Amino acid sequence: AVGKGGGELSRWLDKHDLGELYESLSGSGFGSLESLSKNVEFTDGALEEMGVFKKGLRMQFLAALKKLRSFKLVANVVRGEGMKSGRWCGPTRRRVSVRWLGNQKMTRVATGNKPMWSETLIFQSADQNEAERGEVIMEVIQNGVAKSSCSVSFEEIDRVPSEVELGDGKPYPLVSLKGDMVGCIWVKLLLRRVGG
């Protein structure tokens, strides 16, 4: 019988018309989708040694694997809170900037004592090797100037295979240019597998 991990692998292979590779992969120690998604080097020659003799099938598998190991970053910026009684003071115009792997996206402007954005920023996909090297930098831009920021490493971000409810996310502490804690922003960060 195929276990839970093997069932996920089998379904993924079937989805990409690669079902006939299940025996070769599981016999070579890749019995689950999780084991395939790890950063193990697959080459055309290695697949041939595993008994996959059809060139077209090998190329199809390598293309699907590249997508499986690629992520899109989704940042749902919900709200901001200051240190004093949880409120932002004054009518300052604020935006949140999110940067990942050299790409920057910004929310619309929010004003008032407690800005609410509820805005989702989606970044283009990057393969796992590239994604692991890039931390997410979030900054609060006040009247056009970056005043506070925080950074989040790749390892801290939830990975999800498909669409999920974003919800409220969690608070990320903001540090000013002087190194003082000045509040937090609530953001839901997700890494979505492109080819899950």
Side-chain angles (χ1 to χ4, degrees), residues 74-76 120 164-169 188 190 192:
V74 179
N76 181 236
T120 301
V164 297
E165 289 297 319
L166 288 171
D168 250 10
K188 178 70 173 180
L190 297 174
R192 288 203 171 124

Side-chain angles (χ1 to χ4, degrees), residues 9-79:
L9 174 61
S10 180
R11 284 191 294 278
W12 180 79
L13 290 169
D14 287 342
K15 177 181 173 181
H16 295 281
D17 298 319
L18 295 165
E20 62 190 277
L21 296 184
Y22 181 78
E23 293 300 326
S24 297
L25 289 168
S26 58
S28 299
F30 298 99
S32 69
L33 194 59
E34 184 62 26
S35 66
L36 261 196
S37 67
K38 300 292 186 190
N39 195 19
V40 178
E41 187 67 35
F42 273 93
T43 62
D44 186 52
L47 286 170
E48 196 167 11
E49 286 178 16
M50 287 166 59
V52 184
F53 299 115
K54 297 177 185 174
K55 176 81 172 175
L57 202 58
R58 296 197 302 268
M59 295 299 99
Q60 192 176 334
F61 171 76
L62 290 172
L65 184 65
K66 183 173 173 132
K67 285 186 177 179
L68 179 67
R69 292 176 172 181
S70 294
F71 295 97
K72 275 188 177 179
L73 175 72
V74 179
N76 181 236
V77 183
V78 182
R79 66 181 188 272

Side-chain angles (χ1 to χ4, degrees), residues 8 11 21 38 41 59 62 80 108 112 138 142-143 152 156 160 165 167 175 186 188:
E8 289 176 354
R11 284 191 294 278
L21 296 184
K38 300 292 186 190
E41 187 67 35
M59 295 299 99
L62 290 172
R108 63 188 177 275
M138 297 184 285
Q142 298 180 24
N143 293 331
V152 185
E156 294 177 61
V160 294
E165 289 297 319
V175 178
W186 287 76
K188 178 70 173 180

